Amino acid sequence: MTSGFPPVPHGTAAAGVDLAGRTALVTGAGSGIGRACATALAAAGALVHVVDMDAAAAKSVAQAIGGRAHVVDLARAEAVEELPADIDVLVNNAGLQHVAPLADFPPDRFALMQRVMVHAPFLLIRRALPHMCGGGWGHVVNISSVHGLRASAYKAGYVTAKHGLEGLSKVTAVEGAPHGVTSNCVNPGYVRTPLVERQIEAQAAAHGIDAGQVVSEVLLSRSAVKRLIEPEEVAATVLWLCGPHTGYVTGASIPLDGGWSAA
C-alpha cells in the first residue's frame, strides 16, 4: 500500500523541497524574516525577486542568493506595477510597527501600516494569481503574526493590519483551490529581527530595565517557550508550505508562537 504522495526529491539544499524552475517574490527581503525566506527559497532552487525599500539591503541579499533586487516602496500602490507578475511563490512579509495608545495613535501612521501590510499584499496577490492559476501551481504565504490571532494593547495599527491579512489569505485560499494554488498565514511570536530589536531597546529605555529583562518579562510574558524565534525557523515553515506534501494545507494560520495562542 502506498501513501499516495508524490516522491520527495532528493539532493536539494532545502530538505526535500525542489523549486527548480520556479520563481518567487519576497517583500521586505532585505533583512530579518524576509531575508531568511529569500535565502531558503533560493537554496531550494527558485529564482527569487528580492523586494525592499532599502536599496543596499535588497542588492546585497540578491547578490548573495543569485536573485534579482527590486527597490520599491510598497506604500505606493503604483509601485506594485513595477514588480513581476509571473511568479509561482509570493511571500508577503514587508511590515512596520508603531506602539501608542489608541487615543494617541497617529492616523497617518495607522493608514500607512494598512497600505503596506494589507493593501500591498492585496495588489500583489491580485497581480500574481492569474499566472499561478494559469499554471495550475502556486503558493501565497503571508507572514502574519500571533497578533493576527490575538490582540495586544497599544498596537492598533499592527493588530488591525494582521487581522486584515488573515482575511485576505483565506479568500485567496478559497479562490485559488480549484486551480492548484494555496494560501496560508504563518503566525510567529517575537522573532529576532531588526524591528523587534528596536522594540526591545525602546522598552528597555521606557521601563528602565536591561534588554534581557525586556525579552523575558515583557515580550515573552505570554509565551510558554522563553526565547525569541529565529528568522530561519519562520523561513523553514514558509519553505515547507511550498513543498510536496502540503497541497491540502490552505486557508490555514500556522502559529509559531511558543504556545502564546494556546494559553
Side-chain angles (χ1 to χ4, degrees):
M1 181 175 179
T2 62
S3 66
F5 289 128
V8 178
H10 295 287
T12 68
V17 179
D18 185 0
L19 297 179
R22 301 295 187 182
T23 301
L25 186 149
V26 183
T27 68
S31 66
I33 295 171
R35 179 175 61 189
C37 289
T39 301
L41 292 166
L47 169 65
V48 181
H49 293 279
V50 177
V51 179
D52 205 283
M53 63 186 300
D54 183 327
K59 292 172 183 176
S60 175
V61 173
Q63 183 176 21
I65 66 172
R68 297 178 184 170
H70 300 266
V71 183
V72 170
D73 180 1
L74 292 174
R76 297 172 47 248
E78 61 272 21
V80 171
E81 299 300 319
E82 303 169 16
L83 298 173
D86 54 343
I87 56 174
D88 306 299
V89 176
L90 171 62
V91 181
N92 286 309
N93 167 72
L96 64 155
Q97 182 62 278
H98 187 87
V99 180
L102 264 169
D104 300 326
F105 209 101
D108 58 342
R109 193 70 172 173
F110 183 92
L112 172 64
M113 296 173 80
Q114 310 318 304
R115 289 200 303 273
V116 173
M117 292 193 281
V118 183
H119 193 218
F122 160 71
L123 294 174
L124 287 163
I125 292 169
R126 182 175 181 270
R127 186 166 169 77
L129 207 54
H131 171 79
M132 293 183 182
C133 291
W137 192 95
H139 298 289
V140 177
V141 185
N142 300 295
I143 305 301
S144 181
S145 166
V146 66
H147 283 117
L149 306 173
R150 298 286 188 271
S152 288
Y154 313 126
K155 295 185 178 180
Y158 193 82
V159 171
T160 299
K162 293 304 187 183
H163 275 70
L165 185 62
E166 295 278 334
L168 175 62
S169 183
K170 289 178 173 63
V171 172
T172 306
V174 172
E175 294 190 17
H179 309 285
V181 177
T182 68
S183 176
N184 294 284
C185 286
V186 177
N187 300 71
Y190 287 102
V191 184
R192 194 185 305 279
T193 65
L195 186 149
V196 169
E197 296 289 356
R198 288 193 293 272
Q199 287 187 62
I200 293 171
E201 292 172 7
Q203 291 281 342
H207 296 287
I209 57 179
D210 64 38
Q213 287 177 284
V214 171
V215 172
S216 62
E217 298 174 15
V218 180
L219 300 189
L220 300 182
S221 62
R222 288 183 281 183
S223 175
V225 179
K226 299 299 183 183
R227 67 170 178 84
L228 296 176
I229 307 164
E230 299 301 329
E232 292 75 16
E233 293 177 277
V234 181
T237 302
V238 171
L239 189 63
W240 173 74
L241 286 168
C242 300
H245 301 325
T246 54
Y248 212 75
V249 181
T250 196
S253 300
I254 302 174
L256 299 179
D257 60 8
W260 180 341
S261 57

